[in-house]
């Protein structure tokens, strides 16, 4: 399988090049040259297969030319060392819990798969790989922990100062070793802009082997299809339509779902659920995509004003608005609505949702209320509630316990390099340190 840039479909590169470059040289995002369709036999027997077997079958279609099957098996086993259960919540509503990985958020899937791929590719060259990652919270921790002590790699995390929770911050500012944290005086979009600019800076890239670990990297996207197949296989939907509601920021998770559907998984509809950073729902309502500065919310991993995977969604549908609007519904919710959903589900079912999952729950319920499809709904729970303990406890009047995996970070001292949002300052730091 080859990969092309969304800005130039005729220029094709190997998986290795797509993964090590991250962003294409023309600033486009890499896409697989075609979306492979899985055999009917495989799809019919999904429920007899393990998560590892499913992930292998899906991944192999994309990696066949670059990664030997035995190596891919090892990579999958290393990536998925935790379950992704579908938990029944109320009648016809399930939570797909993607937070059972080491940093308790769904980004562990993408980050761990990518670190394994890069480790494999770094092994075949002599130059160290420097991974730049802009984070609004969870990406930084998943990537930093995924790459910790992976030989031949160094990670630089950029995050907006004061705009991530303490637990999130501690997970990527206390690791040391091959992980450096830059604390940017700005918002998430500034961090993302700095990273993008570094890739276009020839002076820098001629000296340092830079790559990105944001959701723009194709190695992050591929594993985000696995769990849609797995979740679907564990529901007993029969012929009833299955709807997935995905709490969205940069839209990597939802794009993974769209790819799963294109590969043959019969998902009826996707719901793009957002907080008030509703650029995508606005696009569906108005046909116009208008990026804007992000606003801070309690579901801060979705505080994104210019969703980077929008280019991929357009590409998947050849820019055809009507098809996009048929496949994906978009709804946005305020913090107040989010908190009241958290309270409602907690009081009725004693289930603790984190704010991101709660936004997805709201989107699912809204769709089901407005559309009488007799479907089975799955809302994607992207983070363990303890990652947002302050807001969860304040909202539910609880004292939820912090799992040991998270607890261990809290007692550690953070080490960061504070920086302005100015590119010159950022590039100077990179030149000096790497
Ligand atoms: C990153 C993240 C999201 C948003 O995912 P995208 O792929 O960027 O749309 C949602 N919830 C949590 C907890 C996250 O960390």
């Amino acid at each position: 399988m080859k990969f092309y840039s969304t800005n130039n479909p005729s220029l094709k590169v190997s998986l290795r090049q797509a993964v090590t470059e991250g962003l294409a040289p023309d600033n486009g995002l890499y896409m697989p040259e075609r979306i492979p369709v899985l055999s009917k036999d495989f799809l019919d027997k999904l429920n007899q297969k393990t998560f590892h077997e499913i992930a292998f079958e899906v991944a192999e279609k994309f990696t066949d030319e670059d990664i030997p099957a035995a190596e891919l098996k090892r990579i999958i086993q290393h990536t998925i060392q935790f379950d992704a259960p579908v938990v029944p919540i109320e009648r016809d509503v399930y939570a797909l819990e993607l937070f059972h990985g080491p940093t308790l958020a769904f980004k562990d899937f993408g980050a761990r798969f990518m670190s394994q791929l890069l480790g494999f590719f770094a092994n075949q060259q002599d130059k160290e790989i420097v991974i730049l990652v802009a984070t609004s919270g969870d990406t930084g921790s998943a990537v930093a922990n995924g790459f910790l002590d992976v030989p031949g790699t160094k990670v630089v995390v950029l995050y907006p100062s004061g705009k991530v929770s303490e637990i999130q911050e501690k997970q990527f500012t206390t690791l040391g070793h091959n992980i450096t944290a830059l604390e940017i005086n700005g918002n998430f979009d500034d961090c993302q802009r700095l990273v993008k600019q570094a890739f276009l800076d020839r002076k820098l890239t001629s000296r340092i082997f830079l790559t990105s670990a944001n959701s723009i990297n194709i190695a992050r996207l591929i594993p985000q299809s696995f769990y849609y197949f797995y979740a679907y296989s564990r529901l007993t939907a029969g012929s009833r339509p299955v709807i997935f509601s995905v709490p969205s920021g940069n839209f990597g998770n939802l794009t993974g779902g769209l790819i799963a559907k294109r590969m043959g998984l019969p998902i009826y509809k996707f719901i793009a659920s957002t907080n008030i950073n509703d650029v995508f729902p606005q696009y569906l309502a108005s046909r116009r995509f208008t990026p804007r500065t992000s606003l801070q919310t309690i579901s801060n991993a979705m505080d994104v004003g210019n969703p980077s995977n929008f280019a991929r969604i357009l590409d998947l549908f050849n820019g055809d608005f009507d098809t996009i609007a048929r496949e994906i519904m978009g709804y946005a919710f305020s913090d107040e609505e989010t908190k009241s959903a958290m309270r409602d589900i907690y009081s009725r079912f004693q289930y603790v949702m984190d704010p991101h999952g709660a936004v997805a729950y709201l989107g699912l319920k809204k769709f089901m209320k407005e559309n009488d499809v007799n479907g089975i709904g799955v809302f994607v729970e992207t983070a363990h509630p303890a990652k947002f303990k302050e807001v969860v406890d304040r909202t539910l009047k609880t004292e939820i316990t912090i799992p040991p995996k998270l607890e261990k970070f809290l007692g550690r001292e953070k080490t960061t390099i504070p920086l302005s949002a100015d590119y010159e300052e950022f590039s100077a730091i990179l030149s000096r340190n790497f």
Side-chain angles (χ1 to χ4, degrees):
M1 176 75 72
K2 296 277 190 289
F3 297 80
Y4 63 82
S5 160
T6 49
N7 285 345
N8 181 6
S10 64
L11 198 120
K12 294 191 179 157
V13 304
S14 64
L15 175 70
R16 176 202 174 86
Q17 193 177 337
V19 172
T20 50
E21 275 180 4
L23 195 67
D26 61 7
N27 225 359
L29 276 64
Y30 282 116
M31 282 294 277
E33 61 181 336
R34 73 202 134 71
I35 307 291
V37 177
L38 296 164
S39 72
K40 184 168 179 317
D41 183 58
F42 173 75
L43 292 166
D44 286 346
K45 296 199 178 116
L46 269 185
N47 63 357
Q48 299 164 28
K49 301 192 188 290
T50 66
F51 197 179
H52 284 171
E53 287 165 347
I54 292 173
F56 178 83
E57 289 279 337
V58 173
E60 196 201 14
K61 306 283 177 293
F62 298 99
T63 62
D64 54 352
E65 287 178 31
D66 293 73
I67 301 175
E71 183 66 21
L72 181 63
K73 277 217 171 84
R74 192 198 59 76
I75 288 173
I76 299 269
Q77 266 159 20
H78 194 93
T79 301
I80 305 174
Q81 296 186 348
F82 41 88
D83 198 15
V86 273
V87 177
I89 303 296
E90 58 183 300
R91 198 194 148 118
D92 294 335
V93 172
Y94 295 80
L96 168 56
E97 294 185 350
L98 298 181
F99 55 71
H100 295 283
T103 71
L104 305 185
F106 91 96
K107 291 189 179 70
D108 282 328
F109 285 96
R112 292 172 68 80
F113 188 73
M114 180 183 173
S115 71
Q116 291 304 304
L117 253 54
L118 273 179
F120 174 71
F121 293 136
N123 208 3
Q124 301 175 331
Q125 65 181 37
D126 52 13
K127 213 169 175 186
E128 171 180 86
I129 299 182
V130 177
I131 295 111
L132 295 184
V133 52
T135 185
S136 55
D138 281 340
T139 301
S141 46
V143 169
N145 284 276
F147 278 92
L148 184 65
D149 293 328
V150 171
T153 69
K154 283 202 173 125
V155 174
V156 180
V157 181
L158 292 81
Y159 74 103
S161 181
K163 294 197 172 72
V164 306
S165 75
E166 189 198 348
I167 295 183
Q168 287 177 322
E169 187 178 33
K170 286 269 167 100
Q171 286 180 95
F172 54 78
T173 59
T174 62
L175 295 167
H177 296 249
N178 58 335
I179 315 295
T180 305
L182 305 182
E183 187 170 356
I184 305 296
N185 185 9
N187 59 27
F188 171 69
D189 296 324
D190 291 317
C191 300
Q192 218 167 16
R193 171 178 52 80
L194 290 173
V195 168
K196 282 192 174 170
Q197 211 166 332
F199 286 114
L200 300 174
D201 184 342
R202 296 256 176 262
K203 219 166 68 209
L204 209 59
T205 56
S206 62
R207 233 176 40 71
I208 309 174
F209 197 121
L210 282 184
T211 192
S212 120
N214 282 82
S215 49
I216 54 175
N217 196 299
I218 192 73
R220 290 271 310 274
L221 198 62
I222 293 168
Q224 289 174 185
S225 299
F226 301 165
Y227 43 74
Y228 289 94
F229 288 94
Y230 180 59
Y232 189 98
S233 76
R234 266 51 183 176
L235 297 166
T236 35
S239 55
R240 293 174 69 192
V242 174
I243 300 121
F244 278 90
S245 175
V246 187
S248 294
N250 267 317
F251 282 76
N253 198 355
L254 193 130
T255 304
L258 294 172
I259 290 173
K261 179 169 182 182
R262 197 63 73 79
M263 292 178 84
L265 190 68
I267 295 171
Y268 176 70
K269 200 79 82 178
F270 287 96
I271 317 296
S273 299
T274 71
N275 58 33
I276 54 168
N277 295 287
D278 63 346
V279 169
F280 191 80
Q282 282 300 327
Y283 161 74
L284 293 177
S286 70
R287 294 179 172 255
R288 272 192 297 274
F289 183 69
T290 317
R292 49 173 211 261
T293 309
S294 61
L295 300 168
Q296 206 177 334
T297 73
I298 58 169
S299 47
N300 64 37
M302 311 198 294
D303 294 351
V304 179
N306 188 5
S308 51
N309 281 290
F310 182 68
R312 284 201 170 107
I313 295 177
L314 272 187
D315 191 84
L316 267 177
F317 295 102
N318 295 318
D320 180 32
F321 175 84
D322 294 327
T323 315
I324 295 173
R326 202 167 46 240
E327 294 282 319
I328 314 168
M329 312 293 286
Y331 304 113
F333 301 94
S334 68
D335 282 355
E336 281 317 309
E337 291 170 303
T338 306
K339 285 191 252 181
S340 94
M342 289 163 67
R343 281 188 211 107
D344 174 45
I345 290 300
Y346 184 62
S347 71
R348 286 196 293 142
F349 308 108
Q350 289 74 57
Y351 185 77
V352 180
M353 299 192 293
D354 98 290
H356 304 78
V359 168
Y361 173 80
L362 282 166
L364 179 66
K365 292 298 278 191
K366 182 159 180 166
F367 174 80
M368 287 176 121
K369 194 163 160 218
E370 290 177 359
N371 299 272
D372 191 12
V373 294
N374 184 31
I376 293 183
V378 180
F379 68 96
V380 180
E381 244 303 0
T382 44
H384 190 289
K387 291 202 88 165
F388 300 89
K389 180 172 167 51
E390 285 157 46
V391 52
V392 169
D393 281 345
R394 217 180 321 120
T395 304
L396 303 181
K397 306 202 177 21
T398 46
E399 258 308 327
I400 57 171
T401 47
I402 300 180
K405 274 184 225 172
L406 273 190
E407 183 86 61
K408 68 170 196 229
F409 290 103
L410 279 172
R412 297 182 188 164
E413 203 62 40
K414 88 168 187 185
T415 307
T416 66
I417 303 175
L419 279 186
S420 74
D422 175 53
Y423 181 70
E424 295 310 318
E425 209 179 315
F426 170 56
S427 68
I429 287 278
L430 287 182
S431 308
R432 219 175 310 132
N433 286 278
F434 299 101

